[in-house]
Amino acid sequence: MRAEENATEHAAESAAESAAFGVESGVGNGVDPHGGRPVVPTRGVHRPLGMGEVALTGGFWAKLQATNATATLAHCEEWMERLGWLANFDRVADGTTGQDRPGWSFSDSEVYKLLEALAWEYGRSGERAHDDAVRRLTARIARAQDPDGYLNTAFGHANHPPRYSDLEFGHELYCTGHLLQAAVARLRTYGDDELVAVARRAADHVCATFGPDGLPGICGHPEIEVGLAELGRALGQERYVEQARLFLDRRGHRTLKVPFGIGSGGYFQDDEPIRKAGTWRGHAVRQLYLSAAAVDVAVECDDAELLAAVERQWTNAVARRTYLTGGMGSRHQDEGFGGDWELPPDRAYCETCAGVASVMVSWRLYLATGQLRYADLIERTAFNVIATSPRSDGRAFFYANPLHQRAACEASDDDDEVSPRADGGTRAAWFDVSCCPTNVARTLATWHTYCATAGERDLTLLQYSAARISAQLGDGRTVEIEVDTAYPHDGLVTVRVLRAPDGPMALRLRVPAWARGATLAEGGHQHPAAQGLAVVDRELVAGEEIHLTIPTSPRYTWPDPRIDAVRGCVAVESGPLVYCAESPDLPAGTTLDDLTLDAATPPLERDGQLLIRAFTTPHPTPGPPWPYVPAPAPHPPDAAALTIELPLIPYHQWAERAPSAMRIWLPARHPEGP
Amino acid sequence: MRAEENATEHAAESAAESAAFGVESGVGNGVDPHGGRPVVPTRGVHRPLGMGEVALTGGFWAKLQATNATATLAHCEEWMERLGWLANFDRVADGTTGQDRPGWSFSDSEVYKLLEALAWEYGRSGERAHDDAVRRLTARIARAQDPDGYLNTAFGHANHPPRYSDLEFGHELYCTGHLLQAAVARLRTYGDDELVAVARRAADHVCATFGPDGLPGICGHPEIEVGLAELGRALGQERYVEQARLFLDRRGHRTLKVPFGIGSGGYFQDDEPIRKAGTWRGHAVRQLYLSAAAVDVAVECDDAELLAAVERQWTNAVARRTYLTGGMGSRHQDEGFGGDWELPPDRAYCETCAGVASVMVSWRLYLATGQLRYADLIERTAFNVIATSPRSDGRAFFYANPLHQRAACEASDDDDEVSPRADGGTRAAWFDVSCCPTNVARTLATWHTYCATAGERDLTLLQYSAARISAQLGDGRTVEIEVDTAYPHDGLVTVRVLRAPDGPMALRLRVPAWARGATLAEGGHQHPAAQGLAVVDRELVAGEEIHLTIPTSPRYTWPDPRIDAVRGCVAVESGPLVYCAESPDLPAGTTLDDLTLDAATPPLERDGQLLIRAFTTPHPTPGPPWPYVPAPAPHPPDAAALTIELPLIPYHQWAERAPSAMRIWLPARHPEGP
């Protein structure tokens, strides 16, 4: 939405565009005629498909979605009940709040993210149990809301600190933001109900308290902004979007006090206004939630400067501050971005939540600009960060996602214990700070909506899964297709046209940036398909098949020489998957430290395994007393080296067999290289 | 000292040994007949010289000592007055403690470390002003002591949390430990006085509270142990040593609660008993203070198992967890040791205090064992960590000491502001947590006592400075020498015998482990001198000169290939100094990222400058959108590379000219190497 002075013009334009795109026609009602989606911009290059238009029918993501639905959602509710995070709401309602309140100040947000996940999952599957859960949780939350709309179980009641007395770390507005996002999910997949009413009152309270004439504060953890922006457009409440814009522009003037040891300035992104910042810095999830909100506000307010700022920051951070996995956050210290080129694989933080938030930003940028680089990063991050977090049973999670685990953890975390750690090494059932499980849950429940978008006369396939899509184009025509693929394990994508619209349309298929030698077979012809889009622009015929073949043979990938931490190393990728070497696959008596990959020999596939050729040079024990010596180490292969074939596994599968040592970047011997 | 059951035996043995070594003959009085020293073991291979026996007469360390005396000590007192850390004592005395108490809970310890530094400095120089300062501060501290000996300005009084209510992070015993160390310095350089009386009462309180029948707790930050052990031997109070032993053995049973995000277990060294641990882990300063105390207790209690444990941990940590500079601590997150081989140069923490604490441990181990490797590490750490911290004017300090600064800080810290940062980049006048300035101060004031030790019939020179030494050997004879040298800038060390004892004695000169081709010229002969000891064992002649020549021509040093973070890089050292490339020395238009060192060409010295040959390959701007590519980067020299001669500077001098980018480890092209 535009700023208020343009409201009238806007209303007319917006109505026209909404009609064109078919978005939220019932503004004020908010139910999504397309079945619900996480991001519904009022304008944009592409319209995201809703849950009523796309469904996964099998494969990689369908399996993760099923596990999420059948295991993770209940797992999260059980843990929050067990730890008293849910009962915190009851205690506020009953007036029994005490100093013994369990959980961090932001534990409410986990309940809201679970609610959001449940709402989306109900929208996806229609399973009654998820609707029941939404109602059950909503009832407890609603009781805890104060008459003026304030809702928080850690502040503002007996034995609590006063409301908004710790904007830096109190997370009150952050929690409210997640409440609003939960309500948006409910609204779009079900309709107005008690949860939406609670959120509306909470949003009104925020606007009344922090509006232009209210407190001038901002929250230490961005999130309220994206919640307000989405609720604003879902309910047609422009003032919510305006409040989000106000929070965004208030930020960057050093009003938040940065604690000792957390690094300088940027932690809260309060060191520099978002319109001026050159790149992403500070706490990664904070930065990325803020950026997602900025895109929402830029689109709604037609604010090209703000959109350009986020695009610039994305460009610079992706070029210099992002891991091969798509992971973001190089520092454990502040869960933050490091400097340019500071990308240590062993101490990579790559918080799962930062992966989720990165997808939130990139998706919004794709919808606003149509640039495929955003979809490329979504794919990389989804397969190598988000899919890495949950254990295959959906009941344990990685919080951090390092690219190198030097030594196997002594034992797996106990599934019955809360993990005090955010480090990688093993997946934990629950964390003291447990933001990641619910973030994975809400993302997986909506994953299919990131697979395709519709335009005026085109359908774009962005992420490849076996799926069925029935989409309305902007011009009102409908196209129905079935996608058949074993992607990412195989690069053949077959699109079967089930229902073709009258007249020509464009079927656009993303060819990932990593792909080399892709081909498109359609209408009896085969064409090379360069990275970007493979387009079939003609009248489609019901029953015809279009085949996109994206070679997924394994390949070596080399780092920019400025990434000091992986100098002299190479990684192996296959399709969108990053691979790793893991200790259970090593020959007896060998460790990951002993390996040098022979980069003169390409990686190969045999019997479904990806294999590399490597030299192993065991280091003497106990080794030198001082590790800095007058001559460089002899370079393998030397007399002591053995040559082995070592299987690699997809990174997202690591630590599933047992606690392990693991590395993505392998020291390499290359005929031409360093 | 031995445990209590052996007290009688011990007393006899101890008296004999004390007589042999001439140590603290007036047990119970505590004044050090040798003029005062930080560590006075009851037994050991070597006797540390006291301030009455050794004085620096010029050169590198004399200059730092002078700056410390004339600038740093007053600087520290001024800051603590200004911030109210001193007034905290007045407020306890006056009963006006409030919730607005300034400073962290451990700010008292800074006052005590300053007191310790002042006491040593008074012992070194006899300057009245330092004695006045000791009295001035002692008077204020003494007023704040409770009748039962408890002394702390953050706990136990009106508006304070109760005593010992936060053993993890309250730092009460930590503060007391520093008080005891201050009293030890006063006792040994001046004698019993009010400060000693305060410390004695505080130590008695600790023994009464935490003794075998008292609270079973331990302090989250070790320090009380080393304070008790030293005060115990200075006062001949075996029960203080016994209490230190009790604290040591209580540790390692997971009684301290580790907070979220601080990593697992080892942070407090409470995960495993010190006798069992294989290496150093967790918070570096905590670990090293604990280890120092363990050596003290092992020596006093003749506990070979405990001594062997610390030696084993030292060996493993030095081999795999120590930086080229001697710095320890790879992680900002917990100011801690990382895993084996986890030694990132850019995010090296290498806290100045950990350098100080490492010297404390190594010195004790040298005195206990006589092994020169401990003196080698002391030299490396002193020149490259401790000397790096203070700005040349002694009024600003590095807290962290990274080996790679990617980008120059935007501006120097304001000398009038408290720095909230512990990051490197620029030296700060004072810190929110300001442990490093006073730690540097107390170390510099005693530095000369680490230069030499006496044995039964030998004098060992360990660290080379222009100095005058008059030492009593164990057999009662006296030797007096003058050392003349420009070390570390030149490796010629001339020892002039001023007074020779009757009969033969051994003059032993340490040849550092890094030295190649050293020679010893004495009595008209010249001998090669291998690393270790160059020994002159004969009757010395007053007036004769002995020359040790240690080549300090610059050399390349290569890392163990398991240190992933510096793979393919080389460092340059000269003598004990680590060198670095710093941005002000780069050709215009070049950055440190553009450099590749030509390791086929040795480093050279010209006109007092150390120069390397390097290729520069400027990277295109804006650079690739994604930093992971299908082919390795071309290896310099390529067509685009220019060859330059680049001056390097000693690492300890970096960031003195202006905020700068800097790196020690330089990507290298080597004919044989990677």
Side-chain angles (χ1 to χ4, degrees):
Chain A
M1 294 169 193
R2 288 167 186 282
E4 219 155 339
E5 57 271 31
N6 298 325
T8 324
E9 274 172 51
H10 158 66
E13 276 183 40
S14 171
E17 285 176 29
S18 296
F21 276 177
V23 298
E24 309 199 39
S25 49
V27 166
N29 151 358
V31 182
D32 187 339
H34 298 282
R37 301 154 286 180
V39 185
V40 186
T42 304
R43 73 194 71 224
V45 175
H46 299 288
R47 178 180 71 77
L49 299 191
M51 291 179 164
E53 299 175 291
V54 56
L56 304 190
T57 54
F60 189 97
W61 292 106
K63 191 176 162 203
L64 282 167
Q65 286 196 320
T67 306
N68 186 51
T70 57
T72 303
L73 295 174
H75 173 89
C76 293
E77 188 178 349
E78 282 158 21
W79 270 101
M80 288 195 267
E81 191 72 272
R82 171 173 164 183
L83 295 176
W85 300 2
L86 283 167
N88 283 335
F89 290 94
D90 309 335
R91 293 179 74 183
V92 168
D94 299 340
T96 59
T97 50
Q99 284 171 347
D100 59 346
R101 177 188 179 279
W104 288 82
S105 64
F106 42 82
S107 67
D108 294 358
S109 70
E110 304 312 331
V111 180
Y112 302 146
K113 284 195 307 210
L114 172 60
L115 262 171
E116 184 189 339
L118 288 163
W120 292 130
E121 183 55 30
Y122 178 61
R124 187 183 79 86
S125 66
E127 286 279 349
R128 173 75 179 274
H130 303 308
D131 183 51
D132 288 348
V134 170
R135 291 168 193 269
R136 184 166 66 236
L137 297 176
T138 298
R140 291 171 80 176
I141 288 163
R143 288 182 65 228
Q145 190 166 39
D146 292 348
D148 67 350
Y150 180 83
L151 173 53
N152 191 285
T153 72
F155 288 86
H157 308 96
N159 297 310
H160 284 168
R163 289 180 182 184
Y164 306 118
S165 56
D166 180 12
L167 286 174
E168 280 82 4
F169 288 100
H171 288 82
E172 289 160 275
L173 290 167
Y174 167 86
C175 288
T176 305
H178 277 302
L179 169 66
L180 307 193
Q181 285 199 308
V184 167
R186 186 63 170 164
L187 193 56
R188 292 195 182 137
T189 55
Y190 175 87
D192 207 341
D193 79 340
E194 190 178 14
L195 177 57
V196 177
V198 168
R200 197 187 274 116
R201 286 194 296 271
D204 290 344
H205 157 77
V206 170
C207 291
T209 309
F210 289 94
D213 304 323
L215 294 175
I218 53 173
C219 184
H221 200 314
E223 164 61 28
I224 184 66
E225 299 84 356
V226 73
L228 282 167
E230 272 272 80
L231 187 67
R233 50 192 177 195
L235 289 174
Q237 285 287 347
E238 191 166 316
R239 64 204 181 87
Y240 294 165
V241 180
E242 183 56 24
Q243 182 67 42
R245 194 194 60 71
L246 194 59
F247 279 135
L248 280 169
D249 283 335
R250 262 185 204 158
R251 205 173 198 90
H253 304 287
R254 298 180 186 273
T255 59
L256 297 171
K257 188 174 182 305
V258 181
F260 179 74
I262 212 73
S264 49
Y267 178 78
F268 293 119
Q269 296 80 43
D270 188 35
D271 55 334
E272 198 175 14
I274 192 166
R275 293 166 191 276
K276 293 194 178 166
T279 189
W280 287 338
R281 75 282 181 212
H283 188 270
V285 179
R286 282 173 167 81
Q287 173 68 76
L288 294 166
Y289 282 180
L290 185 72
S291 295
V295 180
D296 285 343
V297 167
V299 167
E300 298 309 316
C301 299
D302 207 4
D303 185 335
E305 179 200 49
L306 184 56
L307 184 64
V310 179
E311 287 207 275
R312 175 178 71 239
Q313 293 153 21
W314 187 100
T315 300
N316 288 328
V318 169
R320 299 179 169 216
R321 298 185 174 191
T322 301
Y323 285 94
L324 181 65
T325 55
M328 294 184 182
S330 308
R331 297 182 176 180
H332 281 242
Q333 183 194 16
D334 59 352
E335 309 191 306
F337 287 96
D340 285 348
W341 314 117
E342 182 192 322
L343 293 161
D346 50 351
R347 294 295 285 167
Y349 199 63
C350 294
E351 186 179 336
T352 300
C353 291
V356 167
S358 165
V359 168
M360 287 169 60
V361 180
S362 288
W363 182 238
R364 284 161 168 81
L365 287 172
Y366 169 76
L367 295 176
T369 68
Q371 290 188 28
L372 292 168
R373 58 183 185 148
Y374 301 119
D376 283 331
L377 187 68
I378 289 173
E379 174 177 68
R380 181 173 291 277
T381 307
F383 278 111
N384 300 295
V385 178
I386 294 172
T388 304
S389 176
R391 199 168 60 195
S392 53
D393 69 356
R395 296 182 184 278
F397 306 85
F398 276 134
Y399 191 115
N401 295 281
L403 284 73
H404 181 183
Q405 177 78 21
R406 292 183 177 275
C409 294
E410 285 183 15
S412 289
D413 282 305
D414 185 337
D415 270 5
D416 207 40
E417 296 271 323
V418 174
S419 171
R421 299 173 309 102
D423 287 26
T426 59
R427 294 173 180 85
W430 202 251
F431 299 93
D432 189 24
V433 171
S434 215
C435 43
C436 297
T438 52
N439 237 340
V440 167
R442 68 181 182 137
T443 306
L444 289 179
T446 56
W447 172 251
H448 51 311
T449 69
Y450 299 106
C451 290
T453 57
E456 182 63 20
R457 57 178 296 283
D458 51 72
L459 179 71
T460 306
L461 300 191
L462 294 161
Q463 310 296 342
Y464 298 112
S465 290
R468 195 162 173 136
I469 295 173
S470 173
Q472 194 182 19
L473 305 183
D475 60 17
R477 295 180 297 163
T478 297
V479 61
E480 199 172 330
I481 61 169
E482 188 171 61
V483 182
D484 193 12
T485 182
Y487 196 89
H489 305 299
D490 185 279
L492 172 63
V493 178
T494 298
V495 178
R496 191 170 301 112
V497 178
L498 301 181
R499 183 174 157 200
D502 291 336
M505 68 162 282
L507 181 67
R508 314 185 330 151
L509 297 99
R510 184 178 68 94
V511 180
W514 50 261
R516 299 285 179 281
T519 55
L520 181 72
E522 53 93 16
H525 303 285
Q526 179 159 326
H527 324 276
Q531 296 125 305
L533 284 176
V535 182
V536 181
D537 194 343
R538 59 171 168 79
E539 186 149 351
L540 300 181
V541 182
E544 75 164 314
E545 287 191 350
I546 294 160
H547 301 283
L548 176 67
T549 304
I550 309 172
T552 57
S553 51
R555 62 191 188 275
Y556 288 138
T557 299
W558 302 84
D560 190 289
R562 287 168 287 190
I563 306 176
D564 296 283
V566 292
R567 176 173 289 105
C569 292
V570 70
V572 180
E573 298 183 274
S574 168
L577 299 176
V578 174
Y579 275 66
C580 65
E582 202 191 16
S583 50
D585 297 316
L586 290 170
T590 307
T591 75
L592 287 177
D593 285 338
D594 304 337
L595 286 186
T596 303
L597 184 147
D598 173 13
T601 305
L604 63 125
E605 279 177 305
R606 195 170 58 222
D607 304 333
Q609 270 196 327
L610 192 159
L611 298 164
I612 55 158
R613 187 167 188 270
F615 312 112
T616 69
T617 317
H619 293 274
T621 304
W626 180 243
Y628 307 104
V629 294
H635 207 274
D638 63 9
L642 288 177
T643 303
I644 61 167
E645 272 189 352
L646 181 71
L648 303 188
I649 61 165
Y651 170 68
H652 68 80
Q653 289 175 1
W654 89 277
E656 284 275 0
R657 291 175 285 185
S660 62
M662 176 279 299
R663 63 188 301 166
I664 286 174
W665 290 105
L666 298 165
R669 172 87 172 155
H670 187 274
E672 293 159 32
Chain B
M1 293 170 198
R2 287 165 188 281
E4 220 156 337
E5 56 272 29
N6 298 326
T8 323
E9 272 173 52
H10 158 66
E13 275 184 41
S14 169
E17 285 176 30
S18 295
F21 278 179
V23 295
E24 309 202 36
S25 50
V27 167
N29 150 359
V31 183
D32 186 340
H34 298 284
R37 301 153 287 180
V39 185
V40 186
T42 303
R43 74 195 71 224
V45 176
H46 299 288
R47 178 180 71 77
L49 298 191
M51 291 179 164
E53 299 175 291
V54 55
L56 304 189
T57 53
F60 189 97
W61 292 106
K63 191 174 162 203
L64 282 168
Q65 286 196 319
T67 305
N68 186 50
T70 57
T72 303
L73 296 174
H75 174 88
C76 292
E77 188 178 350
E78 283 159 20
W79 270 102
M80 289 195 266
E81 192 72 271
R82 173 172 160 185
L83 296 176
W85 299 2
L86 282 167
N88 282 336
F89 291 94
D90 309 335
R91 293 178 73 184
V92 168
D94 299 341
T96 58
T97 50
Q99 285 171 344
D100 59 345
R101 178 189 178 280
W104 287 81
S105 63
F106 42 81
S107 66
D108 294 358
S109 71
E110 304 312 331
V111 180
Y112 302 145
K113 285 196 307 209
L114 172 61
L115 261 171
E116 184 190 339
L118 288 163
W120 292 129
E121 183 55 29
Y122 177 60
R124 188 184 79 86
S125 67
E127 285 278 348
R128 174 73 180 273
H130 303 308
D131 183 51
D132 290 347
V134 170
R135 291 168 193 270
R136 185 166 65 236
L137 297 176
T138 299
R140 291 171 81 176
I141 288 163
R143 288 182 65 229
Q145 190 166 37
D146 292 349
D148 67 349
Y150 180 84
L151 174 52
N152 190 284
T153 73
F155 287 86
H157 308 97
N159 297 310
H160 284 169
R163 290 180 182 184
Y164 307 118
S165 56
D166 179 12
L167 286 175
E168 279 81 3
F169 288 102
H171 288 83
E172 289 159 277
L173 290 167
Y174 167 86
C175 288
T176 304
H178 278 301
L179 170 66
L180 307 193
Q181 284 199 308
V184 168
R186 186 63 169 165
L187 193 57
R188 292 194 181 138
T189 55
Y190 175 88
D192 206 344
D193 78 339
E194 190 177 12
L195 178 57
V196 177
V198 168
R200 197 187 276 115
R201 286 194 296 271
D204 290 343
H205 157 78
V206 169
C207 292
T209 309
F210 290 93
D213 304 322
L215 295 175
I218 53 173
C219 185
H221 199 314
E223 164 61 28
I224 184 66
E225 299 84 356
V226 74
L228 282 168
E230 271 273 81
L231 188 67
R233 52 193 177 195
L235 289 174
Q237 286 286 347
E238 191 167 313
R239 67 207 180 85
Y240 294 165
V241 180
E242 184 55 24
Q243 181 67 44
R245 194 193 59 70
L246 195 59
F247 279 134
L248 280 169
D249 283 334
R250 261 183 205 160
R251 204 174 199 90
H253 304 286
R254 299 181 187 271
T255 58
L256 297 171
K257 187 174 185 304
V258 182
F260 180 74
I262 212 72
S264 49
Y267 178 77
F268 293 120
Q269 295 80 45
D270 189 34
D271 54 335
E272 198 175 15
I274 190 166
R275 292 167 192 276
K276 293 193 177 165
T279 189
W280 287 339
R281 75 281 182 213
H283 188 270
V285 179
R286 282 173 167 80
Q287 172 68 75
L288 294 165
Y289 282 179
L290 185 73
S291 296
V295 180
D296 285 343
V297 168
V299 167
E300 297 309 316
C301 299
D302 207 5
D303 186 336
E305 180 201 49
L306 184 56
L307 184 65
V310 179
E311 288 206 273
R312 174 178 72 239
Q313 293 153 20
W314 188 101
T315 300
N316 288 328
V318 169
R320 298 177 170 218
R321 298 186 174 191
T322 302
Y323 284 94
L324 180 65
T325 54
M328 294 183 181
S330 308
R331 296 182 177 179
H332 281 243
Q333 183 194 14
D334 59 354
E335 310 190 307
F337 287 96
D340 285 348
W341 313 119
E342 182 192 321
L343 293 161
D346 50 350
R347 294 295 287 168
Y349 199 63
C350 294
E351 186 179 336
T352 300
C353 291
V356 166
S358 165
V359 168
M360 288 170 60
V361 180
S362 289
W363 182 238
R364 284 160 168 82
L365 287 172
Y366 169 76
L367 293 177
T369 67
Q371 289 188 29
L372 292 167
R373 58 185 186 146
Y374 300 119
D376 282 331
L377 187 68
I378 289 174
E379 174 177 68
R380 181 174 292 276
T381 308
F383 278 112
N384 300 297
V385 178
I386 294 173
T388 304
S389 175
R391 198 169 61 195
S392 53
D393 69 356
R395 295 182 184 279
F397 306 85
F398 275 135
Y399 191 117
N401 295 281
L403 283 72
H404 181 183
Q405 176 78 23
R406 292 184 177 274
C409 293
E410 285 184 14
S412 290
D413 282 306
D414 185 336
D415 271 5
D416 208 40
E417 296 269 326
V418 173
S419 172
R421 300 176 306 102
D423 287 24
T426 61
R427 294 173 180 86
W430 203 251
F431 298 93
D432 189 22
V433 170
S434 215
C435 43
C436 297
T438 53
N439 237 340
V440 167
R442 68 180 182 138
T443 305
L444 289 177
T446 56
W447 172 252
H448 51 311
T449 70
Y450 300 104
C451 290
T453 56
E456 182 62 19
R457 58 179 294 283
D458 50 72
L459 179 71
T460 306
L461 301 191
L462 294 162
Q463 309 296 342
Y464 297 112
S465 290
R468 196 162 171 139
I469 296 173
S470 174
Q472 196 183 15
L473 304 184
D475 59 18
R477 295 179 297 161
T478 298
V479 60
E480 199 172 330
I481 61 168
E482 189 170 59
V483 181
D484 194 12
T485 183
Y487 196 90
H489 305 298
D490 185 278
L492 173 62
V493 178
T494 298
V495 177
R496 192 170 301 115
V497 179
L498 300 181
R499 185 177 154 196
D502 291 336
M505 68 162 282
L507 181 67
R508 313 184 331 150
L509 297 98
R510 184 178 68 95
V511 180
W514 50 260
R516 298 286 180 278
T519 55
L520 182 73
E522 55 91 16
H525 303 284
Q526 179 158 326
H527 322 275
Q531 297 126 305
L533 284 176
V535 182
V536 181
D537 194 343
R538 59 171 168 79
E539 185 148 353
L540 300 180
V541 183
E544 75 165 312
E545 288 191 349
I546 292 160
H547 302 283
L548 176 67
T549 304
I550 309 172
T552 56
S553 51
R555 62 190 188 274
Y556 289 137
T557 298
W558 300 84
D560 190 289
R562 287 167 286 189
I563 306 175
D564 297 283
V566 293
R567 176 174 288 106
C569 292
V570 69
V572 181
E573 298 183 277
S574 167
L577 300 177
V578 174
Y579 276 68
C580 66
E582 201 189 15
S583 50
D585 296 317
L586 291 169
T590 307
T591 76
L592 287 177
D593 285 337
D594 305 336
L595 286 186
T596 303
L597 185 146
D598 173 13
T601 305
L604 64 126
E605 279 178 304
R606 195 170 58 221
D607 305 335
Q609 270 195 328
L610 193 159
L611 299 163
I612 56 159
R613 187 167 187 270
F615 313 111
T616 70
T617 316
H619 293 272
T621 304
W626 180 243
Y628 308 103
V629 295
H635 206 271
D638 63 8
L642 287 177
T643 303
I644 61 166
E645 273 189 350
L646 181 70
L648 303 188
I649 61 164
Y651 170 68
H652 68 80
Q653 291 174 1
W654 88 277
E656 282 276 0
R657 292 175 285 186
S660 63
M662 175 279 299
R663 65 189 298 166
I664 286 175
W665 291 105
L666 298 165
R669 171 85 172 154
H670 187 273
E672 293 157 33

